[in-house]
Amino acid sequence: MKRALFTFLAGLAAPLALAAEPPAPAALPSLARLQAMTARFAPVRLSAPLSKLPPGEQQAVARLVEAARIMDVLFLRQVSAGNAPLLMSLARDESALGRARLKYLLLNKGPWSRLDEDQPFVAGVGPKPEGANFYPEDAAKAQVEAWMNGLPAAEKAGAQGFFTTIRRGPDGAFRAVPYSSEYQDELARAARLLREAAALTAEPTLKNFLEKRAAAFLSNDYFDSDVAWMELDGAIEPTIGPYEVYEDKWFGYKAAFESYITLRDEAESAKLARLGAELQGLEDTLPIDAALRNPKLGALSPIRVVDIVYGAGDANAGVNTAAFNLPNDERVVQQKGSKRTMLKNVQEAKFQKVLLPIAGVALPLAARKDVSFDAFFTHILMHELMHGLGPSSITVGGRATTVRQELQEFGSALEEAKADVSGLWALQQLVDKGVLDKSLERTMYTTFLASTFRSIRFGLNEAHGRGVALQLNSFLDAGAFVALPDGTFRVDRVKIKAAARDLTARIMTIQAHGDKKAAGELLAQMAVIRPPVKRILDRLSAVPVDIDPRYAVDFPPPAPARAR
Ligand code: ZN
């Protein structure tokens, strides 16, 4: 699963982003409108320090980028069978409108605008098929569902599995086709490239993953290679294959191809290790009743901080993924756990292209210099770590239970708010202790203030947006954030420290008692958009929603004459 923070429900940003020009549902966008829709994605160059790798490892990365390009081809086909012929015809159209459509199609990986509830923007294209190209074009969802439910258990598991499409046989009956057959040629080419990369690298865990993933492309059994992916422990961290199931809007069964070819960020990994060493100390001083603290924290699931070299397929269809949690296969998760990967240079690009412009609108001039990427990213890391602190397994009326079970529909929003606000509290503790630099105290609260407007822009029908609205309103009520006469907002440097501690205490105490009633009341009262905040959101319509990355890949693209 992925798409936390920046990427969740980005579609809801569209009405805000283009509020001045609501689309006519039936009409195709004009050239000017298509250009405005495209401008919501700010072009940005993304690069990673490839030159620091030895030559052999660089060559391995070059092979992986070639393999990643194949994931793009496969993803386009998974989205729609019509994508390939449509791309050919748009490539021949040299009109300005034709070129704009081609560009936007490549951004969306199909002729439907992902930020605008999948409205088509090319003539002759119907509504986006909800089952994408995973199921027969002429089949209804109910027919496929009835057929699956009538199958013997083993066949049913295959038909509902991650790695099969459903097609019609010569007799017209449905059948499950393994990806290794459906995408045979492309996967054979990708497997060859992974094996070449495996031969080039000297790093044993990378070699092991690449050989096993190449075998999986041909056998359709991904288990061993997912386990090997969890064991990666070198400078190069590739994620390549079929992973997320969001594109299958019928059932969420079918995995879409994507790739993140990344390099481990050594400085941030070291910072993460330093923060990780402080966690028990932070838990022991949480601003809650001592009896509610956990004297022995469990092991954390691993977090990797990386810079992306090349992203492809589902990874950058519309809104770009900035963090993901994989694998999704429950059997692997039970055996090996899962790994959270943060794409630092993607986060930084979004910070530059989206968050700084938001700060330019929402903050007074004097405060804008205190918005910093280091503060932003350090808080994201602390947010992830704080999910592991505070009440989780609890006792209510003598009964052993969990916060999640007790708080039900209020649980996620409160948990996200907890991770944010206790993250601020924790960073302040570490600044006071001298673990983190004192300058962070200047930047982290103002940076957080600017980032709340970015999150709320995505809407309140999602846990992160609701959690952020709860914090913003609590801080406004406490006088820790201040609305100024010109409509901008600033931080009160004294009151914010107590406000972060108090809200941490309030949320964690509700969680510790599994108090669903209090959780519901708090969210109903605070997870709202009040008029001063609404006015700022209205002023953000010209600020980009996301980025359009240009990967700076410093080796030549694959030679066309290469034998395949
Ligand atoms: Zn979170």
Side-chain angles (χ1 to χ4, degrees):
M1 302 287 167
K2 67 178 170 190
R3 295 177 179 153
L5 302 163
F6 271 113
T7 55
F8 55 85
L9 288 180
L12 295 165
L16 288 171
L18 289 175
E21 197 185 344
L28 289 174
S30 65
L31 176 60
R33 177 158 167 79
L34 204 50
Q35 285 167 339
M37 289 161 78
T38 305
R40 290 177 296 179
F41 297 89
V44 64
R45 187 182 147 92
L46 285 182
S47 63
L50 267 174
S51 58
K52 285 190 184 162
L53 295 176
E57 303 300 312
Q58 287 190 38
Q59 284 181 42
V61 174
R63 297 298 195 285
L64 295 178
V65 170
E66 275 194 67
R69 291 184 208 273
I70 297 171
M71 300 301 115
D72 238 356
V73 172
L74 290 177
F75 180 70
L76 277 161
R77 196 191 304 168
Q78 288 184 310
V79 171
S80 164
N83 265 344
L86 186 56
L87 271 168
M88 302 265 277
S89 93
L90 282 176
R92 285 193 298 268
D93 183 347
E94 288 179 5
S95 69
L97 185 58
R99 284 202 300 273
R101 283 176 175 162
L102 178 61
K103 185 175 180 187
Y104 201 51
L105 185 144
L106 292 172
L107 261 173
N108 285 281
K109 312 222 172 165
W112 300 279
S113 179
R114 291 176 187 264
L115 281 184
D116 305 288
E117 289 152 347
D118 292 326
Q119 283 186 49
F121 54 88
V122 175
V125 171
K128 187 169 193 241
E130 297 220 321
N133 185 23
F134 297 118
Y135 304 96
E137 225 170 327
D138 63 350
K141 179 182 174 183
Q143 288 177 307
V144 173
E145 197 166 21
W147 169 74
M148 284 176 171
N149 287 331
L151 291 171
E155 282 177 54
K156 185 176 171 184
Q160 295 182 339
F162 287 122
F163 311 124
T164 58
T165 58
I166 307 302
R167 301 292 179 229
R168 287 189 191 277
D171 57 352
F174 295 139
R175 64 195 171 116
V177 179
Y179 281 7
S180 52
S181 304
E182 176 88 32
Y183 310 113
Q184 188 170 18
D185 292 351
E186 287 81 1
L187 289 178
R189 267 167 47 212
R192 201 178 313 140
L193 288 162
L194 296 195
R195 290 211 177 96
E196 288 174 18
L200 285 161
T201 182
E203 205 287 299
T205 64
L206 178 61
K207 205 182 270 287
N208 183 43
F209 166 67
L210 294 175
E211 279 164 359
K212 288 189 167 150
R213 181 55 40 128
F217 281 162
L218 306 182
S219 70
N220 218 45
D221 181 352
Y222 285 83
F223 183 87
D224 287 347
S225 57
D226 272 344
V227 170
W229 182 81
M230 284 300 297
E231 292 168 347
L232 280 173
D233 190 21
I236 305 169
E237 280 252 345
T239 300
I240 183 165
Y243 285 103
E244 305 284 4
V245 296
Y246 302 105
E247 201 63 23
D248 173 5
K249 298 214 165 53
W250 267 5
F251 305 111
Y253 290 151
K254 304 303 172 192
F257 284 97
E258 67 181 348
S259 184
Y260 307 86
I261 306 303
T262 73
L263 303 185
R264 188 151 77 186
D265 187 310
E266 299 299 344
E268 292 298 332
S269 301
K271 188 201 280 175
L272 195 57
R274 213 160 73 236
L275 296 177
E278 300 291 332
L279 294 179
Q280 186 66 58
L282 289 166
E283 174 77 26
D284 294 343
T285 51
L286 284 175
I288 51 175
D289 191 333
L292 303 177
R293 297 176 190 144
N294 183 353
K296 191 155 177 13
L297 291 174
L300 287 167
S301 55
I303 300 177
R304 289 275 190 278
V305 182
V306 300
D307 288 308
I308 196 161
V309 176
Y310 195 82
D314 197 18
N316 51 17
V319 169
N320 283 256
T321 302
F324 56 88
N325 207 20
L326 286 174
N328 288 328
D329 185 338
E330 284 299 333
R331 296 172 307 150
V332 184
V333 174
Q334 271 169 25
Q335 189 179 322
K336 297 293 290 186
S338 66
K339 178 164 74 178
R340 181 148 189 84
T341 305
M342 331 270 295
L343 303 167
K344 189 190 170 197
N345 58 349
V346 174
Q347 304 263 22
E348 182 156 20
K350 292 182 186 224
F351 174 86
Q352 296 288 345
K353 298 291 177 181
V354 183
L355 190 58
L356 281 184
I358 286 175
V361 174
L363 269 48
L365 196 59
R368 290 173 208 166
K369 66 175 187 322
D370 291 332
V371 180
S372 93
F373 177 67
D374 183 57
F376 178 71
F377 195 71
T378 306
H379 182 250
I380 291 178
L381 292 181
M382 207 68 229
H383 170 114
E384 293 300 330
L385 295 171
M386 292 309 291
H387 276 309
L389 271 66
S392 162
S393 295
I394 55 173
T395 307
V396 175
R399 176 172 52 89
T401 178
T402 65
V403 174
R404 185 165 289 279
Q405 274 171 17
E406 295 304 310
L407 298 189
Q408 295 174 327
E409 71 269 29
F410 306 126
S412 301
L414 218 59
E415 176 63 23
E416 289 310 323
K418 175 204 94 172
D420 270 348
V421 70
S422 68
L424 291 175
W425 169 84
L427 291 178
Q428 183 67 57
Q429 302 304 300
L430 298 181
V431 166
D432 293 346
K433 203 178 156 187
V435 175
L436 292 170
D437 195 85
K438 184 83 178 157
S439 65
L440 192 64
E441 191 178 275
R442 256 206 94 71
T443 52
M444 68 179 188
Y445 298 114
T446 304
T447 303
F448 180 72
L449 169 60
S451 82
T452 60
F453 295 108
R454 191 212 67 224
S455 306
I456 288 183
R457 212 180 168 199
F458 290 122
L460 293 191
N461 54 350
E462 196 277 342
H464 291 80
R466 289 216 295 165
V468 162
L470 160 64
Q471 294 170 84
L472 180 56
N473 290 319
S474 299
F475 289 165
L476 284 166
D477 288 351
F481 287 166
V482 183
L484 299 171
D486 67 354
T488 62
F489 293 80
R490 70 165 178 86
V491 174
D492 182 307
R493 299 195 169 281
V494 177
K495 289 182 182 162
I496 188 69
K497 293 184 192 177
R501 185 193 59 227
D502 292 350
L503 187 58
T504 298
R506 185 162 183 197
I507 293 175
M508 285 192 180
T509 303
I510 289 172
Q511 291 182 321
H513 295 130
D515 190 344
K516 187 182 176 187
K517 183 163 170 288
E521 284 170 3
L522 183 63
L523 286 167
Q525 190 194 346
M526 304 302 257
V528 296
I529 293 180
R530 295 178 184 164
V533 173
K534 174 73 168 66
R535 282 195 286 276
I536 280 291
L537 294 179
D538 290 344
R539 282 160 60 181
L540 296 177
S541 58
V543 174
V545 173
D546 197 53
I547 54 167
D548 173 13
R550 315 289 154 88
Y551 302 102
V553 185
D554 294 330
F555 28 72
R562 193 186 173 81
R564 294 258 155 89

